Amino acid sequence: MMATMQQFKADFFKALAHPLRIQILEVLSTGEKSVSELQDSMNSEGSAVSQQLSILRAKNIVIGRKQGKSVIYSLKDPSIIRLLDAAREIFNNHLIDTVSMLEEMEEDKSF
């Protein structure tokens, strides 16, 4: 069972391992959007967005529903928002550590 969970996590994080996919998830964290709405908010080409949505859909990270001629996408699990927030917090912590280290280096130079 543990190996299965680890494999799921590895596959899940592989599916997230693209900046455009992360951006799509961040936009969808504010609510459901059509492909054209995603393209507009991200200033990205339709084919690139559609390709990345396809990968996210295949991994059950986003879901789509037909509405007229459009497909409306949303996050399958709202827990993804917490995951993105945690990643942002980790980034900020790394940034704070880097700034602190640079400040210490500058102080050492002044002696």
Side-chain angles (χ1 to χ4, degrees), residues 94-106:
H94 283 280
L95 189 59
I96 289 167
D97 289 345
T98 301
V99 168
S100 295
M101 183 179 66
L102 290 172
E103 288 172 347
E104 287 175 19
M105 289 171 63
E106 283 296 314

Side-chain angles (χ1 to χ4, degrees), residues 1 14 19 46 59 81 104:
M1 177 68 175
K14 275 190 237 178
K59 294 296 182 179
I81 296 169
E104 287 175 19

Side-chain angles (χ1 to χ4, degrees), residues 28-43:
L28 289 177
S29 72
T30 65
E32 60 182 20
K33 305 271 186 289
S34 68
V35 175
S36 62
E37 290 172 319
L38 285 167
Q39 292 166 342
D40 290 346
S41 7
M42 298 166 48
N43 293 325

Side-chain angles (χ1 to χ4, degrees), residues 30-79:
T30 65
E32 60 182 20
K33 305 271 186 289
S34 68
V35 175
S36 62
E37 290 172 319
L38 285 167
Q39 292 166 342
D40 290 346
S41 7
M42 298 166 48
N43 293 325
S44 189
E45 292 180 21
S47 61
V49 171
S50 294
Q51 181 182 19
Q52 301 308 323
L53 278 168
S54 175
I55 292 166
L56 292 169
R57 202 174 47 239
K59 294 296 182 179
N60 289 316
I61 297 172
V62 300
I63 53 175
R65 65 176 173 78
K66 273 293 233 188
Q67 183 174 313
K69 294 180 181 182
S70 298
V71 178
I72 307 298
Y73 287 93
S74 60
L75 299 175
K76 179 161 181 162
D77 187 334
S79 297

